[in-house]
Amino acid sequence: MRKLEKDVMTKDSAVKIDNRHFYSRLATIAGPIAFQSLMLALVAACDALMLGRVAQEQMTAVSLATQIQFVQNMLIMAITGAGAILGAQYWGKGDKKTIQKLFDMMLKYAGAICIAFFIGCEFFPEALMHVFASDQTLIELGADYLRIAGWSYLITGVSQSYLAVMKVTDHVNESAWISSCAVVMNVVFNLIFIFGFLGAPRMEAKGAALATTIARVIELVICLVISGRAGYIRPALSKMFKISKELTKDFWKQCLPLMGGSLFWGVGFTSYTAIMGHMGVDAAAANSIAAVVRDLICCVCNGIGSAAGIIVGNELGAGNLEMGKAYGIKLMKISYVIGIASMIIVFAVTPLTVHMVLLTDEARKYLTGMMCIMAVYMIGRCVNTVTINGVLDGGGDTIFDMYSLAVCMWGIAIPLALLGAFVFHWPVLLVYSCTCLDEVGKIPWVMIRFRKYKWVQNLTK
C-alpha cells in the first residue's frame, strides 16, 4: 500500500474515468448540497430585502450582527468538517461503528462552542457590536437582534452535526430537504414578525432574530425525527466520553488545521465587514448587499466543493487511490469553469441588484463598483473552494488552507485594507478591492500544492 501511495503521488493519474458515472454521481451529491446552500443564503437575502424595505439602518445592523453567527459557523464547520472528512473515508470502507463515534465527537465539541457564543450574545451583545460598527444606532439595533438570535446559536451545532453525518452516509437528499424546510419557515416567519402580519407585532430587526430562532428549533426537531428511522447513523450519547484515543487523535489531526483555517477565514471575513462598517453607513450597506449576492452565487461552487470532498474521500477510504486522484484532477478543472460562469452571472445581475433595495445615491454607487470587483473575485473563490475545501480536504491535506489564509489574507489583504481605511484614507472601492485580493492572489500557490498530491492518502485505520 505504501508503495502504491508513493507511485500515485509522483505522477498524474492514468485512470480512465467513466464520465457518465462521474457526472451522475457529482450531480446526485452536489445538487442537493448546492440547493441547501442556496436556501441558507436566501435567508440572509430575505433578511436584507425585507429589512431594506424598512430602513437602511435596520438592514445594516442585522447584517453586521450576523457576523457573530458567521464566526460561530466557521468553528462548527471545522468540527463537522473533520468528522465529514474521516466519515466519508470510513463510509467508503464500510465502517459504520466508527462513523457513530465521530458523530459523538462532533456533538460534544460543537455543543461546547454553541454554549460559549450563546453566553456572549445574551450577556455582552453591545460589546460584540462595537467590533463591527461605531454608529450607536447600529450598535443598539444589532444588540437587540443578538439577544434573541443567541438562542438559535445554542442549538445550531447539534443540527449541523446531524446534517453533516447525513451527507456522508448517502442521505444527502434528506439533509438538503431539512435545511430547505428550515429556510422556508424562516422566510415565512420573517414576513410575519418583521412586518407584523397575521396579527403579530411589527418587530423589524427583532422579528428577523425571532424567525431565525423558531426555524432553528424546528430544524433540530426534524433532524431528530428523521434520524430515528432505520438506516440512519445515530449518536451513542452514553459512549460520548469513551471514544478511543487513537480516533480522537485522528479527529483532531484533521480538525485543528480546519479550525485554524476557519478562524483565519471567518475572523478575516468578519474583519472585512468591520472595516467597511467603520467607513460609514453607506459603505456598510453596499457591502452588506454585495455579500448577500456573493453568497447566493457561491452556492454552486459550495455544492461541488462539498461533493468533491465526499467523492474523493470515498475512493481514497476504499483504497482506490488512483481513481480518487483522477476524480480530484477532474474536479479541479471543473472549478475554473464554475468560476468563469459565476463571474458572468455577477456582471449580469448587477443592474437588477442595485435597484432592488432602498439605498442612498452614494450607497448605490458603491454597490455598483463592489459588484464589478466581486465578479473577478468569484473566479478565485470558486477555484479555491472546490480545490482546497473539496479535493485537498477530502484527502486529509487540511493544513494548506490555514497556511494560505495566514499569508494571503492575514499577511496581505487585511493589512492593506486596514492601512487603506484608517491610515491612508483610500476611497471605499479601493479598500473593498483589498478585501478581495486573497482569493485571486493565491491561485498559483494552490495549483502548486495540488500537483504535489499530498492529498492522495487513505486516512482509515
Side-chain angles (χ1 to χ4, degrees), residues 114-280:
C114 289
I115 291 171
F117 275 81
F118 169 74
I119 291 172
C121 290
E122 292 305 311
F123 297 102
F124 313 105
E126 289 85 2
L128 292 174
M129 283 303 301
H130 270 289
V131 176
F132 305 106
S134 54
D135 184 87
Q136 190 59 36
T137 300
L138 296 181
I139 291 171
E140 291 175 0
L141 289 170
D144 289 340
Y145 177 91
L146 288 175
R147 287 189 183 94
I148 299 173
W151 290 95
S152 71
Y153 303 167
L154 184 61
I155 60 175
T156 298
V158 179
S159 58
Q160 291 306 306
S161 296
Y162 272 88
L163 295 174
V165 171
M166 288 182 190
K167 288 177 186 177
V168 299
T169 56
D170 290 344
H171 293 111
V172 65
N173 288 330
E174 289 83 348
S175 173
W177 179 83
I178 292 170
S179 290
S180 300
C181 285
V183 168
V184 171
M185 288 182 288
N186 199 333
V187 172
V188 171
F189 289 133
N190 270 345
L191 283 168
I192 293 172
F193 295 118
I194 289 176
F195 298 108
F197 291 156
L198 302 179
R202 181 184 173 94
M203 299 176 67
E204 300 181 345
K206 291 180 181 179
L210 181 58
T212 298
T213 301
I214 295 174
R216 284 296 185 188
V217 171
I218 297 174
E219 179 183 57
L220 178 57
V221 171
I222 298 174
C223 283
L224 294 172
V225 171
I226 289 182
S227 292
R229 300 188 303 185
Y232 286 80
I233 302 293
R234 291 179 291 278
L237 300 180
S238 61
K239 301 178 181 179
M240 184 174 289
F241 298 97
K242 299 178 182 179
I243 299 170
S244 70
K245 291 182 179 180
E246 186 176 16
L247 184 60
T248 301
K249 181 180 178 181
D250 288 344
F251 179 87
W252 283 107
K253 185 177 180 180
Q254 302 304 320
C255 186
L256 288 176
L258 283 175
M259 189 168 289
S262 293
L263 282 172
F264 277 141
W265 193 76
V267 177
F269 251 86
T270 302
S271 299
Y272 293 156
T273 302
I275 291 168
M276 300 308 298
H278 284 281
M279 296 195 75

